[in-house]
Every structure is written in C-alpha cells, then in structure tokens.
Amino acid sequence: MLFNELQIKNLKLHNRTVLAPMCMYMADESGEAEAFHISHYSSRAIGKIALVIQEATAIDPDGRISPKDLGIWCETHVSGLRAIVEEVHNSGAAMGIQINHAGRKASCDHPIAPSAIRFSEKYKVPKEMTIKDIEKVIDDFKQAARRANLVGYDYLEIHAAHGYLLCEFLSPNTNQRTDAYGDRTKLIKEVVKAVREEWPEEKPLGARFSAFEYATKGITPEWL
C-alpha cells in the first residue's frame, strides 16, 4: 500500500511516502530561506516523495534551535518560504511545515521555559515564563499558522517533541509550575485552539510528540 494514493481532508498524496522535518541549519541569521532550501526540498519532490515537511521553523527569533534555523516569525519570511513551496509543488509533491519554539534549548541569550531548569551544564538556566510570556508564545504560534497558510503550505505540524518548549510543558521533569499551567496539557491545547483560528479546517493539522522521554517520571505513550 506504500504507493497507493492517500487523502487526508483536502490533502491528496500520490503515494504514502513522507519526508520528515529535519533541521538543515542553512538559513541566514535573519531566518530567511536560501537557494539551498529550494534545491533541497524540491529534489525530494522530484524523487517522488509525496509529502515534504519542512524543518522545524522558528516562531520567534529567540526560539530558534540554532542561529541558522528557518524563521516564520515575521512577514518578511513569507516570500522566501513561498519560493520553496512553489518549487516543491511544481516538482509534484505536497508541502508541509513544522513550527517550533525551542524553549530552554534555544540558541539565545535569555531562553524561556515552564520552570527555571536548564537542559544540561552546556545550556543556560532558562527564565520561568510569566503568564504574559505564555500568552505571547500562544499568539506566536497563531501568527506562524496564519503566515503558513498565506505562504501556501498544505499541511501544518506543531512541534511538541524533542525537549523543546511545548514538550517541556508536557513533561513533569521540566514543568514544575504551581499555577494553572502546572496542568501539563493546558498549553498545547491552547496552542492548537489558537492555531486552528488561522489554519483552515479543510487543511490537516498535526502535532509531533515524544512518546517516550526515557527519564524517571517522564512522558510515556500511556500518559499521552
């Protein structure tokens, strides 16, 4: 069945092969797409991948995994991202995007997280997020979804895995809050709701989770 067609909502795929989002670290430091991205993603489409999902794309400049991550935090990114999408479409594939905030693992001077617990000794101690910080993140995801739809992506994926911000809220090892966001599913639910206000109902929306955290009292498939 691998080469059978598949339809999810209005997304029609000519087979069931998908390129998973993988960071290339090839953007310029303003988050703009380069010629590399057009060539890289369109070549996957030429190779008959049915759905190409773009690497984790930052919703905030201070939420990047690295300074070379693609960005979707401002309107200036739209034209460069649209060039990627159009070339992938012209090469015969559907195009998706994964949107992300790296949280305490971000490459910035003042990372944020649900609680002030650093990832390792190589990382900075993050600032525990205020309610205002959380509200901004929710809106950043929402605006990223709006821009993704404007660009013309066929599929949108929210990154809630790999120890990045939304994953940090889901894990008891990184979320030790005593306020309402001590409810570990609260933020992801609010992000999904906000994103759906901008991402059309007829287009598929997904989320990536880390099913196993491989840590004491960590995330497991049963909990998710």
Side-chain angles (χ1 to χ4, degrees):
M1 295 180 64
L2 180 61
F3 298 106
N4 289 357
E5 293 181 353
L6 177 67
Q7 182 161 349
I8 306 170
K9 293 198 169 185
N10 74 344
L11 175 61
K12 295 180 180 180
L13 304 179
H14 59 77
N15 63 49
R16 303 184 180 201
T17 60
V18 178
L19 177 74
M22 294 174 284
C23 289
M24 293 291 103
Y25 308 119
M26 291 292 289
D28 72 15
E29 293 197 359
S30 65
E32 294 285 348
E34 300 280 7
F36 164 85
H37 298 96
I38 298 173
S39 174
H40 169 68
Y41 288 115
S42 64
S43 66
R44 264 69 259 175
I46 291 169
K48 301 305 181 182
I49 293 289
L51 172 61
V52 176
I53 306 178
Q54 185 175 299
E55 62 203 77
T57 304
I59 64 167
D60 184 314
D62 288 335
R64 287 179 283 182
I65 302 166
S66 86
K68 303 291 282 182
D69 285 1
L70 283 172
I72 193 169
W73 65 78
C74 65
E75 307 306 316
T76 58
H77 293 135
V78 168
S79 61
L81 297 176
R82 185 175 286 140
I84 299 173
V85 173
E86 289 177 351
E87 194 63 30
V88 168
H89 283 168
N90 290 338
S91 300
M95 187 71 190
I97 182 174
Q98 184 186 74
I99 54 175
N100 184 45
H101 191 297
R104 67 177 184 167
K105 295 172 76 175
S107 177
C108 67
D109 292 333
H110 304 289
I112 57 175
S115 303
I117 303 168
R118 65 181 173 179
F119 179 67
S120 72
E121 291 184 358
K122 296 180 180 179
Y123 285 77
K124 299 180 177 70
V125 176
K127 169 196 169 188
E128 180 170 317
M129 295 170 70
T130 64
I131 297 300
K132 185 176 180 180
D133 293 331
I134 291 172
E135 290 172 347
K136 180 182 183 300
V137 163
I138 294 169
D139 189 61
D140 286 343
F141 272 103
K142 179 178 179 177
Q143 298 308 319
R146 177 183 60 79
R147 294 184 190 104
N149 186 48
L150 182 65
V151 168
Y153 290 97
D154 306 295
Y155 167 74
L156 180 66
E157 182 172 285
I158 298 168
H159 202 346
H162 303 168
Y164 299 128
L165 185 64
L166 296 182
C167 185
E168 292 163 21
F169 272 86
L170 288 167
S171 172
N173 293 308
T174 45
N175 183 353
Q176 298 182 4
R177 300 177 72 95
T178 57
D179 64 2
Y181 287 94
D183 174 351
R184 293 182 280 134
T185 64
K186 181 175 173 59
L187 180 57
I188 183 66
K189 289 176 180 177
E190 291 180 351
V191 166
V192 169
K193 181 179 178 181
V195 163
R196 260 303 180 204
E197 291 175 2
E198 294 291 345
W199 186 250
E201 185 63 34
E202 64 271 16
K203 289 187 177 183
L205 172 65
R208 173 169 288 201
F209 296 99
S210 290
F212 279 104
E213 196 173 357
Y214 300 108
T216 304
K217 297 181 181 179
I219 297 169
T220 65
E222 293 77 15
W223 184 80
L224 283 172

